[in-house]
Amino acid sequence: MPILVAIAFLTCHALALALFPDHAKLLSYLFLIAAPLLAALACAWRSRGDPVAHGWIALALGMLLWTAGMASNMVMAMVLANANPTPGLSMLCYVLYGVPLTYALATSPREAWPVRLIDALLALAVGYLFFVHTFSFATLSNASDEGVERLRLMFDIENVFIAAFAVVRWLAAGGEHRVFFRTLAIFALLYLATAAYINHTQSDVDYGTLADLVIDLPFLTLAAMALRPAAARADAPEAPRRLSLVVRAGSPLMMPLTLLVVSGLILHTHAALATAGFAVALLGYGVRSVLTQVRTLEEQDQLSELTRIDPLTGIANRRQFDETLKRDWAPAARGERGMALLLIDVDHFKQLNDRFGHPAGDACLREVAEVLKECAVRSTDLVARYGGEEFAVILPYTSQHGAERLAETIRAAIERRPLPVAVAEGTSPPASLTVSIGVGYVAELVGRRPEALMGVADGALYEAKRGGRNRVCVRVL
């Protein structure tokens, strides 16, 4: 359907020129305003709930700027009867249309909002310097022949720049991002060819000819691609991983580099503004890099935390337990201070799982972990899920009596702890949750290894289970 609408639009444009030759210029202006406006509306519609919404909105804004340029052309030609076919205001709009597109290419919705704000500010700076550069060659009413040629060259550079980077982003993207950048790349390539054809071969031909249909093509193509049904764009392959990473790493340079280039263009005519542009580009990139680096470090910390936390119970996992035991062993040995290790096993956990189901078993494990955290409250203590229904508590700098007392406190607290509702309601008489605890203790760590303490704690746990469960047994290394 979008393709049929585009074909109908071109047909109507051609028929209007053929049937009403006396009004061909005005009618052509109206169609040339309607085509980018239709593309803007299509992109705005597509942005609703899309993962690349910021990109579609930027595209819509670019299309609106181009619409404003063509509307300025029409007003100057048809209302004010200005003989210059491309007044300076139109030139400015045509140049600025590329600024939102550059922003869409340079930023990513994955970035934090302060980073996207910096990209937006850099884009505004680029737009302002484009404004200054444009009116170095044109005024609001007209542009000299030399100025128009310089501006055409600037259009060519801008269009090649946007098309080339859009193609690179297309090749490096995946999923819905690949769909967006493919749409932008195809539009940018069509627009590059169209602008080159119109600016360099039809510059002396006024509006109102069949050549105007060529100008409709990139905008109608963009509208048709933006309005494609979801089913038609579902299969978007993933890009090569290395290429994707290279482009993602390099894309933050795009906006500062654009600002540096534009600043260089106005250096001879507006030295102060050019210097400010250089400073803004460097400062913007620097602040952006700092914010990105901070976010990266935060994500690394979060990932590191996730690798050390048991997802079910929220306490330390086996990996963090092993690292902490080795880390605490050496300082305790140098200080000749005692260390204890508690190994805790939930009694009859398999039968509990079989009777009430795994969700109930998981709830019981979380209850045990909660009791352990409530009892082992010293900052030096570590509570960990050792594996399955087994837990462990590392107690550095402690006495044998202190370790035994804590173990008994834990055992009694779990026995008194109300069972999760899902388990308790299905029992008659009410079920109780108990644990067996093995306490391994070593008074002098010098010349010993952590594995030895593990061995005696494991032996104490086995003794507690063999002795009837729901008890504490202690062994000293």
Side-chain angles (χ1 to χ4, degrees):
M1 182 59 70
I3 295 175
L4 293 177
V5 172
I7 294 173
F9 188 99
L10 289 172
T11 304
C12 291
H13 192 169
L15 287 174
L17 297 179
L19 297 175
F20 305 99
D22 294 338
H23 304 285
K25 186 175 181 179
L26 175 60
L27 292 171
S28 197
Y29 271 127
L30 294 176
F31 276 99
L32 292 176
I33 291 172
L37 186 58
L38 178 63
L41 293 174
C43 291
W45 176 85
R46 177 65 183 275
S47 69
R48 301 178 308 165
D50 194 279
V52 204
H54 82 288
W56 292 107
I57 293 173
L59 260 178
L61 180 58
M63 298 306 103
L64 290 176
L65 285 169
W66 206 97
T67 303
M70 185 54 67
S72 172
N73 268 12
M74 185 182 74
V75 170
M76 296 297 289
M78 305 302 296
V79 178
L80 302 179
N82 190 311
N84 189 343
T86 311
L89 181 59
S90 296
M91 285 286 191
L92 176 64
C93 291
Y94 295 147
V95 171
L96 292 184
Y97 116 96
V99 173
L101 273 63
T102 305
Y103 171 78
L105 290 167
T107 194
S108 167
R110 284 188 284 258
E111 300 288 358
W113 71 264
V115 174
R116 296 201 302 272
L117 177 61
I118 290 174
D119 286 338
L121 293 175
L122 291 176
L124 290 175
V126 169
Y128 176 71
L129 294 187
F130 261 136
F131 169 85
V132 173
H133 182 59
T134 299
F135 285 102
S136 298
F137 310 113
T139 65
L140 285 173
S141 59
N142 58 50
S144 65
D145 292 340
E146 179 185 1
V148 170
E149 289 301 322
R150 297 286 297 272
L151 288 170
R152 283 174 184 156
L153 176 61
M154 192 165 69
F155 289 151
D156 292 338
I157 295 173
E158 179 186 39
N159 295 336
V160 168
F161 179 75
I162 291 174
F165 205 81
V167 170
V168 173
R169 292 301 303 265
W170 173 17
L171 297 176
E176 284 295 326
H177 289 80
R178 190 176 182 88
V179 173
F180 168 75
F181 287 119
R182 178 179 62 198
T183 302
L184 179 52
I186 292 173
F187 165 78
L189 291 171
L190 284 174
Y191 184 85
L192 170 65
T194 299
Y197 169 71
I198 296 298
N199 291 340
H200 296 286
T201 68
Q202 302 292 314
S203 59
D204 297 330
V205 179
D206 202 357
Y207 292 103
T209 68
L210 290 177
D212 295 346
L213 273 66
V214 178
I215 304 176
D216 292 333
L217 285 174
F219 302 109
L220 295 176
T221 302
L222 174 59
M225 296 186 71
L227 295 174
R228 288 180 71 199
R233 59 179 190 262
D235 297 327
E238 292 296 324
R241 180 64 175 168
R242 182 173 293 275
L243 176 61
S244 178
L245 292 175
V246 169
V247 173
R248 282 181 59 188
S251 59
L253 286 169
M254 184 180 177
M255 197 63 74
L257 284 177
T258 304
L259 185 55
L260 288 174
V261 170
V262 178
S263 300
L265 291 174
I266 66 170
L267 183 59
H268 295 296
T269 55
H270 301 80
L273 280 177
T275 303
F278 292 141
V280 170
L282 295 175
L283 180 63
Y285 180 72
V287 174
R288 191 189 195 283
S289 298
V290 170
L291 292 175
T292 303
Q293 185 69 11
V294 168
R295 184 185 181 192
T296 300
L297 293 174
E298 289 176 345
E299 290 176 348
Q300 289 177 351
D301 289 344
Q302 291 173 359
L303 288 174
S304 178
E305 186 72 13
L306 288 175
T307 62
R308 289 170 167 77
I309 296 297
D310 175 60
L312 176 64
T313 60
I315 60 177
N317 61 11
R318 175 67 180 271
R319 175 180 177 179
Q320 186 173 353
F321 168 82
D322 291 338
E323 292 177 356
T324 302
L325 183 60
K326 292 178 181 178
R327 185 191 66 208
D328 290 349
W329 188 267
R334 287 194 299 270
E336 297 184 355
R337 302 285 297 275
M339 176 179 284
L341 174 62
L342 277 56
L343 290 183
I344 302 136
D345 185 84
V346 179
D347 295 332
H348 307 295
F349 186 73
K350 185 179 184 303
Q351 291 90 324
L352 187 150
N353 257 344
D354 292 341
R355 183 178 179 185
F356 302 110
H358 289 285
D362 291 345
C364 290
L365 293 178
R366 286 191 289 267
E367 288 290 330
V368 171
E370 191 65 29
V371 171
L372 295 179
K373 288 190 294 183
E374 291 173 359
C375 294
V377 294
R378 297 188 310 169
S379 60
T380 54
D381 299 342
L382 177 78
V383 175
R385 185 181 178 190
Y386 191 69
E389 68 272 22
E390 287 193 17
F391 296 83
V393 180
I394 299 175
L395 302 172
Y397 312 122
T398 190
S399 64
Q400 179 181 344
H401 174 70
E404 290 182 35
R405 185 173 56 187
L406 177 62
E408 180 58 32
T409 299
I410 291 172
R411 186 204 64 77
I414 291 175
E415 189 176 26
R416 293 192 306 268
R417 189 84 168 192
L419 282 173
V421 175
V423 178
E425 287 182 349
T427 61
S428 181
S432 61
L433 186 66
T434 61
V435 294
S436 300
I437 303 178
V439 179
Y441 181 77
V442 56
E444 296 183 3
L445 284 68
V446 180
R448 303 181 184 276
R449 298 180 60 83
E451 291 79 5
L453 182 60
M454 286 288 302
V456 294
D458 192 58
L461 175 61
Y462 179 74
E463 182 181 342
K465 292 164 69 174
R466 188 178 55 184
R469 304 179 191 270
N470 189 24
R471 67 188 62 229
V472 174
C473 289
V474 181
R475 288 191 179 183
V476 178
L477 181 63

